[in-house]
Amino acid sequence: MKKKRIVWKVFAILMMVALCALLLGYGTMLLWNWLIPELFAGPVITFWQALGLLLLCKLLLGFPHKHHEGGWAGKKRKWREHWEARMGHMTPEEKERMKDQLSRCMGGRWGGWKSPREENPGDNENKDEEQPKN
């Protein structure tokens, strides 16, 4: 009795895999044949070419991993933890100096980059005036 259940489960899994491959291949073929020839004057493909295209994309772009940590949200969290740990060891003066350097480099939160000439306009006033020729 137990062997029949295992055989049935294996058969059901194989049928689900086959059905998914059929649907993905057919859907890819329909989308390709609907869009590519019209937009780019490309070729029309068959079902087997569509399955090959899907397999090629998965090989080139990779397969999902179970230990994936939430895409951009996970990367943002790791970045924040890294900088909080790094700035946790700084003195208040070092933190303020770093924030000042970043704001000069980045131009504040929403501003653009400022050249050194824009930061100290009084230093370069004499250089712009015409020098008398001797």
Side-chain angles (χ1 to χ4, degrees):
M1 188 75 164
K2 203 171 196 181
K3 284 187 176 183
K4 285 184 179 181
R5 283 187 193 169
I6 293 173
V7 170
W8 176 249
K9 286 182 180 181
V10 169
F11 178 72
I13 289 172
L14 289 174
M15 291 304 292
M16 290 299 291
V17 168
L19 181 65
C20 287
L22 180 76
L23 290 174
L24 283 173
Y26 190 68
T28 302
M29 181 187 74
L30 287 177
L31 281 172
W32 180 282
N33 291 339
W34 177 47
L35 293 172
I36 300 301
E38 184 75 24
L39 294 174
F40 304 111
V44 175
I45 63 172
T46 66
F47 171 76
W48 297 108
Q49 290 171 329
L51 274 181
L53 186 64
L54 282 174
L55 181 62
L56 178 66
C57 288
K58 290 311 285 178
L59 288 172
L60 292 176
L61 301 176
F63 293 90
H65 302 286
K66 289 183 181 179
H67 62 277
H68 185 66
E69 295 193 18
W72 287 106
K75 289 179 184 177
K76 182 178 178 182
R77 183 182 49 77
K78 282 185 177 181
W79 182 87
R80 183 179 302 269
E81 288 172 0
H82 167 76
W83 279 102
E84 284 177 356
R86 192 166 175 189
M87 294 199 56
H89 300 292
M90 292 182 169
T91 64
E93 293 83 20
E94 289 174 327
K95 288 181 186 178
E96 195 60 38
R97 194 172 351 146
M98 184 174 184
K99 286 179 184 178
D100 185 45
Q101 288 174 347
L102 283 174
S103 68
R104 263 191 279 126
C105 176
M106 303 284 203
R109 183 168 183 151
W110 304 110
W113 178 79
K114 293 182 180 179
S115 68
R117 190 174 223 178
E118 292 172 355
E119 288 180 3
N120 302 321
D123 294 343
N124 297 326
E125 287 178 6
N126 296 334
K127 292 181 182 179
D128 293 337
E129 296 175 4
E130 285 188 30
Q131 298 289 332
K133 295 181 182 180
N134 294 346

